[in-house]
PDB file of all heavy atoms in Angstrom:
ATOM      1  N   TYR I  44     -44.022  36.182  19.559  1.00 87.00           N
ATOM      2  CA  TYR I  44     -44.114  34.876  20.216  1.00 87.00           C
ATOM      3  C   TYR I  44     -45.517  34.635  20.748  1.00 87.00           C
ATOM      4  O   TYR I  44     -46.102  33.557  20.567  1.00 87.00           O
ATOM      5  CB  TYR I  44     -43.103  34.778  21.360  1.00 87.00           C
ATOM      6  CG  TYR I  44     -41.693  34.471  20.915  1.00 87.00           C
ATOM      7  CD1 TYR I  44     -40.665  35.384  21.117  1.00 87.00           C
ATOM      8  CD2 TYR I  44     -41.386  33.255  20.302  1.00 87.00           C
ATOM      9  CE1 TYR I  44     -39.367  35.108  20.701  1.00 87.00           C
ATOM     10  CE2 TYR I  44     -40.091  32.972  19.889  1.00 87.00           C
ATOM     11  CZ  TYR I  44     -39.083  33.906  20.088  1.00 87.00           C
ATOM     12  OH  TYR I  44     -37.795  33.624  19.685  1.00 87.00           O
ATOM     13  N   LEU I  45     -46.072  35.632  21.435  1.00 91.00           N
ATOM     14  CA  LEU I  45     -47.409  35.486  21.995  1.00 91.00           C
ATOM     15  C   LEU I  45     -48.452  35.296  20.900  1.00 91.00           C
ATOM     16  O   LEU I  45     -49.413  34.532  21.054  1.00 91.00           O
ATOM     17  CB  LEU I  45     -47.752  36.722  22.837  1.00 91.00           C
ATOM     18  CG  LEU I  45     -46.975  36.878  24.150  1.00 91.00           C
ATOM     19  CD1 LEU I  45     -47.230  38.246  24.761  1.00 91.00           C
ATOM     20  CD2 LEU I  45     -47.351  35.776  25.135  1.00 91.00           C
ATOM     21  N   TYR I  46     -48.248  35.994  19.781  1.00 90.00           N
ATOM     22  CA  TYR I  46     -49.172  35.893  18.650  1.00 90.00           C
ATOM     23  C   TYR I  46     -49.250  34.449  18.148  1.00 90.00           C
ATOM     24  O   TYR I  46     -50.333  33.893  17.970  1.00 90.00           O
ATOM     25  CB  TYR I  46     -48.681  36.821  17.543  1.00 90.00           C
ATOM     26  CG  TYR I  46     -49.718  37.241  16.538  1.00 90.00           C
ATOM     27  CD1 TYR I  46     -50.511  38.358  16.765  1.00 90.00           C
ATOM     28  CD2 TYR I  46     -49.888  36.543  15.341  1.00 90.00           C
ATOM     29  CE1 TYR I  46     -51.458  38.782  15.840  1.00 90.00           C
ATOM     30  CE2 TYR I  46     -50.833  36.946  14.410  1.00 90.00           C
ATOM     31  CZ  TYR I  46     -51.621  38.066  14.661  1.00 90.00           C
ATOM     32  OH  TYR I  46     -52.553  38.467  13.746  1.00 90.00           O
ATOM     33  N   GLN I  48     -48.327  31.815  19.794  1.00 92.00           N
ATOM     34  CA  GLN I  48     -48.858  30.973  20.859  1.00 92.00           C
ATOM     35  C   GLN I  48     -50.385  31.028  20.866  1.00 92.00           C
ATOM     36  O   GLN I  48     -51.065  29.998  21.003  1.00 92.00           O
ATOM     37  CB  GLN I  48     -48.326  31.424  22.215  1.00 92.00           C
ATOM     38  CG  GLN I  48     -48.834  30.564  23.375  1.00 92.00           C
ATOM     39  CD  GLN I  48     -48.351  31.066  24.720  1.00 92.00           C
ATOM     40  OE1 GLN I  48     -47.677  32.084  24.803  1.00 92.00           O
ATOM     41  NE2 GLN I  48     -48.690  30.344  25.772  1.00 92.00           N
ATOM     42  N   ALA I  49     -50.937  32.220  20.731  1.00 93.00           N
ATOM     43  CA  ALA I  49     -52.391  32.362  20.718  1.00 93.00           C
ATOM     44  C   ALA I  49     -53.011  31.590  19.567  1.00 93.00           C
ATOM     45  O   ALA I  49     -54.051  30.926  19.724  1.00 93.00           O
ATOM     46  CB  ALA I  49     -52.760  33.845  20.630  1.00 93.00           C
ATOM     47  N   PHE I  50     -52.382  31.654  18.382  1.00 90.00           N
ATOM     48  CA  PHE I  50     -52.883  30.895  17.242  1.00 90.00           C
ATOM     49  C   PHE I  50     -52.811  29.394  17.499  1.00 90.00           C
ATOM     50  O   PHE I  50     -53.724  28.633  17.150  1.00 90.00           O
ATOM     51  CB  PHE I  50     -52.089  31.235  15.974  1.00 90.00           C
ATOM     52  CG  PHE I  50     -52.735  32.294  15.139  1.00 90.00           C
ATOM     53  CD1 PHE I  50     -52.066  33.469  14.821  1.00 90.00           C
ATOM     54  CD2 PHE I  50     -54.028  32.130  14.650  1.00 90.00           C
ATOM     55  CE1 PHE I  50     -52.655  34.446  14.046  1.00 90.00           C
ATOM     56  CE2 PHE I  50     -54.626  33.108  13.872  1.00 90.00           C
ATOM     57  CZ  PHE I  50     -53.940  34.268  13.574  1.00 90.00           C
ATOM     58  N   LEU I  52     -52.869  27.813  20.381  1.00 93.00           N
ATOM     59  CA  LEU I  52     -53.886  27.445  21.363  1.00 93.00           C
ATOM     60  C   LEU I  52     -55.281  27.472  20.738  1.00 93.00           C
ATOM     61  O   LEU I  52     -56.112  26.603  21.007  1.00 93.00           O
ATOM     62  CB  LEU I  52     -53.821  28.402  22.555  1.00 93.00           C
ATOM     63  CG  LEU I  52     -52.610  28.213  23.477  1.00 93.00           C
ATOM     64  CD1 LEU I  52     -52.396  29.448  24.341  1.00 93.00           C
ATOM     65  CD2 LEU I  52     -52.799  26.971  24.348  1.00 93.00           C
ATOM     66  N   LYS I  66     -59.759  29.156  26.130  1.00 95.00           N
ATOM     67  CA  LYS I  66     -59.669  30.179  27.178  1.00 95.00           C
ATOM     68  C   LYS I  66     -58.249  30.720  27.287  1.00 95.00           C
ATOM     69  O   LYS I  66     -58.042  31.930  27.455  1.00 95.00           O
ATOM     70  CB  LYS I  66     -60.124  29.596  28.514  1.00 95.00           C
ATOM     71  CG  LYS I  66     -61.625  29.346  28.581  1.00 95.00           C
ATOM     72  CD  LYS I  66     -62.033  28.778  29.929  1.00 95.00           C
ATOM     73  CE  LYS I  66     -63.551  28.609  30.001  1.00 95.00           C
ATOM     74  NZ  LYS I  66     -63.980  28.025  31.287  1.00 95.00           N
ATOM     75  N   GLU I  67     -57.265  29.829  27.170  1.00 94.00           N
ATOM     76  CA  GLU I  67     -55.874  30.279  27.244  1.00 94.00           C
ATOM     77  C   GLU I  67     -55.514  31.119  26.013  1.00 94.00           C
ATOM     78  O   GLU I  67     -54.741  32.082  26.102  1.00 94.00           O
ATOM     79  CB  GLU I  67     -54.930  29.082  27.364  1.00 94.00           C
ATOM     80  CG  GLU I  67     -53.527  29.485  27.778  1.00 94.00           C
ATOM     81  CD  GLU I  67     -52.634  28.303  28.083  1.00 94.00           C
ATOM     82  OE1 GLU I  67     -53.154  27.176  28.238  1.00 94.00           O
ATOM     83  OE2 GLU I  67     -51.395  28.507  28.151  1.00 94.00           O
ATOM     84  N   SER I  68     -56.086  30.759  24.865  1.00 94.00           N
ATOM     85  CA  SER I  68     -55.873  31.558  23.661  1.00 94.00           C
ATOM     86  C   SER I  68     -56.379  32.981  23.875  1.00 94.00           C
ATOM     87  O   SER I  68     -55.710  33.958  23.516  1.00 94.00           O
ATOM     88  CB  SER I  68     -56.588  30.909  22.479  1.00 94.00           C
ATOM     89  OG  SER I  68     -56.575  31.744  21.344  1.00 94.00           O
ATOM     90  N   ILE I  69     -57.557  33.109  24.467  1.00 96.00           N
ATOM     91  CA  ILE I  69     -58.136  34.428  24.731  1.00 96.00           C
ATOM     92  C   ILE I  69     -57.243  35.233  25.671  1.00 96.00           C
ATOM     93  O   ILE I  69     -56.965  36.420  25.431  1.00 96.00           O
ATOM     94  CB  ILE I  69     -59.554  34.273  25.310  1.00 96.00           C
ATOM     95  CG1 ILE I  69     -60.499  33.768  24.215  1.00 96.00           C
ATOM     96  CG2 ILE I  69     -60.065  35.588  25.898  1.00 96.00           C
ATOM     97  CD1 ILE I  69     -61.812  33.226  24.727  1.00 96.00           C
ATOM     98  N   GLU I  70     -56.766  34.590  26.717  1.00 94.00           N
ATOM     99  CA  GLU I  70     -55.850  35.270  27.643  1.00 94.00           C
ATOM    100  C   GLU I  70     -54.596  35.745  26.920  1.00 94.00           C
ATOM    101  O   GLU I  70     -54.078  36.848  27.162  1.00 94.00           O
ATOM    102  CB  GLU I  70     -55.468  34.331  28.782  1.00 94.00           C
ATOM    103  CG  GLU I  70     -56.626  33.997  29.720  1.00 94.00           C
ATOM    104  CD  GLU I  70     -56.255  32.907  30.720  1.00 94.00           C
ATOM    105  OE1 GLU I  70     -55.067  32.492  30.744  1.00 94.00           O
ATOM    106  OE2 GLU I  70     -57.152  32.469  31.467  1.00 94.00           O
ATOM    107  N   THR I  71     -54.103  34.911  25.989  1.00 94.00           N
ATOM    108  CA  THR I  71     -52.876  35.258  25.265  1.00 94.00           C
ATOM    109  C   THR I  71     -53.113  36.409  24.297  1.00 94.00           C
ATOM    110  O   THR I  71     -52.267  37.288  24.134  1.00 94.00           O
ATOM    111  CB  THR I  71     -52.326  34.023  24.535  1.00 94.00           C
ATOM    112  OG1 THR I  71     -52.220  32.931  25.455  1.00 94.00           O
ATOM    113  CG2 THR I  71     -50.948  34.298  23.961  1.00 94.00           C
ATOM    114  N   TRP I  72     -54.286  36.439  23.642  1.00 94.00           N
ATOM    115  CA  TRP I  72     -54.592  37.573  22.773  1.00 94.00           C
ATOM    116  C   TRP I  72     -54.635  38.873  23.572  1.00 94.00           C
ATOM    117  O   TRP I  72     -54.205  39.925  23.082  1.00 94.00           O
ATOM    118  CB  TRP I  72     -55.927  37.368  22.053  1.00 94.00           C
ATOM    119  CG  TRP I  72     -55.899  36.381  20.911  1.00 94.00           C
ATOM    120  CD1 TRP I  72     -56.671  35.282  20.750  1.00 94.00           C
ATOM    121  CD2 TRP I  72     -55.035  36.416  19.765  1.00 94.00           C
ATOM    122  NE1 TRP I  72     -56.353  34.621  19.596  1.00 94.00           N
ATOM    123  CE2 TRP I  72     -55.352  35.298  18.962  1.00 94.00           C
ATOM    124  CE3 TRP I  72     -54.022  37.274  19.340  1.00 94.00           C
ATOM    125  CZ2 TRP I  72     -54.708  35.019  17.769  1.00 94.00           C
ATOM    126  CZ3 TRP I  72     -53.361  36.997  18.147  1.00 94.00           C
ATOM    127  CH2 TRP I  72     -53.706  35.886  17.375  1.00 94.00           C
ATOM    128  N   HIS I  73     -55.120  38.809  24.792  1.00 95.00           N
ATOM    129  CA  HIS I  73     -55.114  40.005  25.641  1.00 95.00           C
ATOM    130  C   HIS I  73     -53.683  40.451  25.942  1.00 95.00           C
ATOM    131  O   HIS I  73     -53.394  41.662  25.989  1.00 95.00           O
ATOM    132  CB  HIS I  73     -55.881  39.734  26.940  1.00 95.00           C
ATOM    133  CG  HIS I  73     -57.362  39.838  26.799  1.00 95.00           C
ATOM    134  ND1 HIS I  73     -58.003  41.003  26.486  1.00 95.00           N
ATOM    135  CD2 HIS I  73     -58.344  38.896  26.929  1.00 95.00           C
ATOM    136  CE1 HIS I  73     -59.307  40.798  26.423  1.00 95.00           C
ATOM    137  NE2 HIS I  73     -59.546  39.523  26.691  1.00 95.00           N
ATOM    138  N   LEU I  74     -52.774  39.491  26.115  1.00 93.00           N
ATOM    139  CA  LEU I  74     -51.364  39.840  26.330  1.00 93.00           C
ATOM    140  C   LEU I  74     -50.762  40.492  25.087  1.00 93.00           C
ATOM    141  O   LEU I  74     -49.971  41.431  25.175  1.00 93.00           O
ATOM    142  CB  LEU I  74     -50.562  38.594  26.721  1.00 93.00           C
ATOM    143  CG  LEU I  74     -50.891  37.975  28.085  1.00 93.00           C
ATOM    144  CD1 LEU I  74     -50.105  36.680  28.278  1.00 93.00           C
ATOM    145  CD2 LEU I  74     -50.575  38.964  29.206  1.00 93.00           C
ATOM    146  N   VAL I  75     -51.151  39.978  23.919  1.00 93.00           N
ATOM    147  CA  VAL I  75     -50.666  40.578  22.669  1.00 93.00           C
ATOM    148  C   VAL I  75     -51.116  42.032  22.583  1.00 93.00           C
ATOM    149  O   VAL I  75     -50.353  42.915  22.163  1.00 93.00           O
ATOM    150  CB  VAL I  75     -51.157  39.783  21.448  1.00 93.00           C
ATOM    151  CG1 VAL I  75     -50.764  40.482  20.151  1.00 93.00           C
ATOM    152  CG2 VAL I  75     -50.604  38.357  21.456  1.00 93.00           C
ATOM    153  N   LEU I  76     -52.349  42.301  22.973  1.00 93.00           N
ATOM    154  CA  LEU I  76     -52.864  43.670  22.930  1.00 93.00           C
ATOM    155  C   LEU I  76     -52.061  44.615  23.830  1.00 93.00           C
ATOM    156  O   LEU I  76     -51.923  45.807  23.522  1.00 93.00           O
ATOM    157  CB  LEU I  76     -54.341  43.697  23.341  1.00 93.00           C
ATOM    158  CG  LEU I  76     -55.332  43.132  22.309  1.00 93.00           C
ATOM    159  CD1 LEU I  76     -56.711  42.993  22.928  1.00 93.00           C
ATOM    160  CD2 LEU I  76     -55.395  44.014  21.070  1.00 93.00           C
ATOM    161  N   THR I  91     -55.483  42.146  15.979  1.00 95.00           N
ATOM    162  CA  THR I  91     -55.492  41.330  17.189  1.00 95.00           C
ATOM    163  C   THR I  91     -56.879  41.329  17.823  1.00 95.00           C
ATOM    164  O   THR I  91     -57.349  40.301  18.316  1.00 95.00           O
ATOM    165  CB  THR I  91     -54.437  41.834  18.192  1.00 95.00           C
ATOM    166  OG1 THR I  91     -53.157  41.847  17.548  1.00 95.00           O
ATOM    167  CG2 THR I  91     -54.371  40.938  19.415  1.00 95.00           C
TER     168      THR I  91
END
Side-chain angles (χ1 to χ4, degrees):
Y44 280 116
L45 290 170
Y46 202 88
Q48 181 183 3
F50 265 122
L52 288 162
K66 289 180 177 179
E67 194 172 346
S68 171
I69 289 164
E70 292 172 5
T71 308
W72 285 124
H73 279 296
L74 293 175
V75 175
L76 287 170
T91 304

